[in-house]
Amino acid sequence: MREIQIGILGLGTVGSGVVQILTQNAEDITKRTNSHINIKKVLVRNLQTPRSISGNFTLTDNPSDILTDPDIDIVVEVMGGIEPARTYILEAFHNGKNVVTANKDLLALHGHELLDVAKEAGKDLYFEASVAGGIPIIAALKQSLAANQISTVVGVINGTTNYILTAMAEQGRDYDEVLKEAQTLGYAEADPSSDVDGLDAARKLAILSSIAFNSRVTVNDVYVDGIARITADDIAYAKELNSCIKLLAIAKNLPDGLEIRVHPSIIPESHPLASVSGVFNAIYVIGDAIGETMFLGRGAGSLPTGSAVVSDIIQVTRNIESESTAAINCTCYNNLLLKKSADFHTAFYIRMRVKDEPRVLATLALLFAEANVSFASIIQKQKGNNEAEIVLLTHPIYEGQLREALESVKAYSKVLTINNVIRFEGN
């Protein structure tokens, strides 16, 4: 029986989960792979740091101990960040090693480069854990759905923002209060900007889009907007519209180009993603042959993410056993046009404060009509002091049309404030 030696770069949350799963499920993994998978060395920052996880492996603070060890077959990178992770992975390939990584930041920027180097080296690069934790979406898109032309990928792929928006909706609380709670519970970082500003989801969407549409998309190609401007009032109005608010990662392959965007969206309660609550993730995929399908699970955490990493280790081990490494590499053979945000096509929710006077609503309707914007519904509520709050839900329009209309609306003296504009995604 073959002995597969692995070296792990990092022993934090994910690295510890990888060690735990490989240890507790060792017997079954051996039977499934017909190989003994042995953790030989683990890279850590500080050899003196006390650790709750242990095993029959050597700790080292020198990456070369792993990257140049001729006995190590698979390097597992769970450090995170761009550098030195990129340099370590490239060195691993140059030294004839296969690589498994959970690094979404790195893949979203340099995935094409790494896949090309892996192919040249005749080695595997697997990265299931880079998107949506334990949900097997990368393997599904690369293999299980490979017979399909994928037209749409829509996901709730950031647990922090989903927890915040769920708590706001269920408890009627404000954003700042729920964010502080999420930080206390460990669902949000001390600096939560990557999550709440949509950057984490954008990195994941770049990876998903590249695979789904076979066309290179980097994080810099993704339109991004965060959730910080969502208020309890917006949540309440969404409920009144039989809808809810989610931070959605949306990728569409349309005849005039790709729409790749991350932003808060109002979706009907009947939408498949509306019921995804708390820290759970879900990805909704439409293919020409399969139709609609959805993947749901835990999008982060030591064991869910560790599960995806170990699954990749198992697959690479099978590939080594069958001498079929590098069988699946970069599939970005298309060069599809990326649409500009002005050409995105969707409906919009617009909340504003206006003077509570005759003909104000009629004038607003005229200003929007001049930009060919019409309304699907209107909500108006008196707010005292001769003011009213108006919520407009438009029919689907191009974003450029909305921008044109809002310029005229902002100049109208009876409009006091435009409080929020949120995209509305239908079924």
Side-chain angles (χ1 to χ4, degrees):
M1 187 173 288
R2 185 188 291 265
E3 191 89 16
I4 297 295
Q5 305 287 346
I6 72 171
I8 303 177
L9 305 177
L11 194 57
T13 299
V14 178
S16 297
V18 171
V19 172
Q20 182 178 337
I21 293 169
L22 284 172
T23 302
Q24 71 188 23
N25 296 340
E27 184 177 346
D28 284 334
I29 290 172
T30 297
K31 292 176 180 177
R32 290 168 186 166
T33 61
N34 195 37
S35 300
H36 289 298
I37 298 177
N38 178 56
I39 304 172
K40 186 176 182 184
K41 297 174 184 176
V42 179
L43 178 71
V44 296
R45 286 186 184 143
N46 188 343
L47 294 172
Q48 309 307 318
T49 300
R51 291 178 173 81
S52 58
I53 197 95
S54 61
N56 188 27
F57 49 78
T58 300
L59 293 180
T60 178
D61 58 3
N62 183 357
S64 293
D65 289 344
I66 292 174
L67 300 174
T68 63
D69 187 331
D71 294 331
I72 289 179
D73 304 287
I74 305 171
V75 171
V76 179
E77 185 275 308
V78 285
M79 301 165 53
I82 304 299
E83 288 292 355
R86 173 180 167 272
T87 297
Y88 292 168
I89 290 175
L90 290 173
E91 186 175 346
F93 287 136
H94 290 315
N95 290 331
K97 305 185 186 311
N98 301 281
V99 174
V100 171
T101 180
N103 196 327
K104 62 180 177 291
D105 297 1
L106 182 59
L107 268 295
L109 274 178
H110 299 289
H112 187 67
E113 173 196 19
L114 297 177
L115 286 164
D116 280 352
V117 173
K119 182 178 180 181
E120 291 172 7
K123 298 298 176 181
D124 280 334
L125 173 62
Y126 277 65
F127 48 93
E128 184 64 68
S130 65
V131 177
I135 302 173
I137 185 63
I138 302 296
L141 290 173
K142 274 186 168 286
Q143 299 178 61
S144 303
L145 299 177
N148 287 256
Q149 293 285 340
I150 304 297
S151 62
T152 303
V153 177
V154 182
V156 174
I157 53 177
N158 181 269
T160 299
T161 52
N162 203 44
Y163 173 85
I164 292 170
L165 292 172
T166 299
M168 289 176 68
E170 292 179 350
Q171 301 161 24
R173 298 159 66 195
D174 287 325
Y175 168 81
D176 289 336
E177 180 186 354
V178 178
L179 173 59
K180 289 178 182 177
E181 177 184 84
Q183 290 171 317
T184 300
L185 294 172
Y187 295 146
E189 301 288 343
D191 177 2
S193 56
S194 178
D195 293 315
V196 300
D197 292 345
L199 300 175
D200 175 80
R203 295 175 185 119
K204 296 170 182 175
L205 186 61
I207 297 169
L208 290 175
S209 303
S210 297
I211 298 169
F213 307 138
N214 305 112
S215 186
R216 175 51 47 193
V217 177
T218 72
V219 65
N220 296 325
D221 298 320
V222 183
Y223 173 89
V224 188
D225 189 13
I227 68 166
R229 58 191 173 83
I230 302 300
T231 68
D233 288 337
D234 297 315
I235 299 282
Y237 279 119
K239 285 184 179 179
E240 197 167 334
L241 293 165
N242 297 315
S243 300
C244 65
I245 300 178
K246 298 288 184 185
L247 181 75
L248 292 188
I250 300 171
K252 297 181 179 182
N253 187 0
L254 302 169
D256 55 345
L258 300 180
E259 283 191 12
I260 314 292
R261 44 194 171 97
V262 170
H263 50 70
S265 298
I266 299 176
I267 56 174
E269 291 176 352
S270 58
H271 194 287
L273 294 172
S275 61
V276 180
S277 62
V279 295
F280 276 78
N281 281 197
I283 300 107
Y284 172 70
V285 180
I286 301 176
D288 63 342
I290 191 67
E292 301 175 17
T293 186
M294 194 166 86
F295 302 80
L296 171 70
R298 294 190 179 276
S302 177
L303 293 180
T305 308
S307 169
V309 173
V310 174
S311 295
D312 279 350
I313 293 171
I314 289 171
Q315 186 57 53
V316 174
T317 297
R318 289 169 172 162
N319 294 347
I320 293 171
E321 178 71 22
S322 63
E323 299 182 355
S324 59
T325 56
I328 302 176
N329 281 293
C330 185
T331 55
C332 293
Y333 49 78
N334 289 325
N335 186 22
L336 301 178
L337 177 70
L338 286 158
K339 294 174 65 174
K340 297 179 180 178
S341 61
D343 298 322
F344 294 165
H345 196 257
T346 185
F348 287 89
Y349 155 105
I350 306 160
R351 178 167 63 89
M352 64 179 71
R353 283 283 184 113
V354 301
K355 288 288 186 180
D356 189 11
E357 298 177 3
R359 294 188 296 276
V360 170
L361 189 57
T363 302
L364 285 172
L366 179 62
L367 292 173
F368 278 101
E370 288 174 350
N372 293 316
V373 177
S374 60
F375 306 133
S377 67
I378 300 172
I379 300 172
Q380 179 172 336
K381 295 185 178 181
Q382 288 186 313
K383 292 296 180 178
N385 298 320
N386 295 318
E387 294 180 8
E389 188 162 64
I390 296 176
V391 170
L392 307 172
L393 186 62
T394 76
H395 287 112
I397 54 173
Y398 289 103
E399 192 156 325
Q401 289 176 256
L402 181 75
R403 294 175 188 172
E404 178 185 342
L406 289 179
E407 287 301 313
S408 299
V409 170
K410 288 175 184 176
Y412 179 34
S413 62
K414 305 300 182 181
V415 173
L416 303 174
T417 58
I418 297 177
N419 300 102
N420 215 342
V421 177
I422 306 173
R423 293 165 183 83
F424 186 98
E425 297 291 328
N427 287 317

